[in-house]
Amino acid sequence: MKYIIFICCLFLYSCGILGDCDVAAKDMKEDECLLIVKKMPGIHDGRFGYKGINPITKKECDCKSPTSDLWWASYKSYIEIGDTIIKKKNELIFSVHKKDTVLKFNFECEGKVYN
């Protein structure tokens, strides 16, 4: 039941009914994701259920975030095992580091690109 309420709130929030883009950007700046992908999400892993190793601490981790995972999940098609996902705290750039390429995605909301 709480998942349904959460999804409804997220939907309303993303439609601008419960918040605006500047507030969303401020909230998303707080999240961080540093992960070398070792396991792709399964059907029941939520929107952004990637698991792997933190490249700094070398410990197992995941990048679950009720605030940002919907934004991050929009780039799932670019992510493969072995890629490094980086979203630094206080930044609004989500990047996927591959062997020979770095893909960077800025947070966008209602046509505005945030840095």
Side-chain angles (χ1 to χ4, degrees):
M1 181 65 184
K2 68 180 178 178
Y3 290 115
I4 293 171
I5 293 171
F6 174 74
I7 289 171
C8 289
C9 288
L10 245 166
F11 176 75
L12 292 172
Y13 183 77
S14 68
C15 292
I17 295 169
L18 297 179
D20 63 28
C21 292
D22 293 335
V23 172
K26 182 181 176 211
D27 291 343
M28 289 186 193
K29 272 188 171 185
E30 295 300 312
D31 283 333
E32 181 174 67
C33 177
L34 304 171
L35 176 80
I36 299 170
V37 178
K38 298 294 181 191
K39 183 177 182 236
M40 301 294 280
I43 294 170
H44 303 292
D45 286 334
R47 293 183 300 243
F48 201 78
Y50 292 89
K51 294 182 181 177
I53 306 293
N54 181 304
I56 297 169
T57 66
K58 308 296 185 210
K59 294 182 180 179
E60 289 187 18
C61 64
D62 62 45
C63 285
K64 293 183 180 179
S65 164
T67 306
S68 297
D69 70 346
L70 189 60
W71 169 37
W72 300 344
S74 60
Y75 309 115
K76 279 181 163 183
S77 63
Y78 299 102
I79 302 170
E80 300 173 332
I81 290 178
D83 292 348
T84 302
I85 299 168
I86 298 178
K87 193 308 192 164
K88 295 179 183 176
K89 189 171 184 165
N90 296 319
E91 292 184 7
L92 288 171
I93 299 170
F94 179 85
S95 60
V96 180
H97 295 242
K98 299 182 163 293
K99 283 185 179 181
D100 59 355
T101 308
V102 177
L103 305 171
K104 292 187 176 190
F105 306 96
N106 290 70
F107 175 67
E108 294 182 39
C109 184
E110 295 182 4
K112 182 176 178 182
V113 177
Y114 290 79
N115 294 321

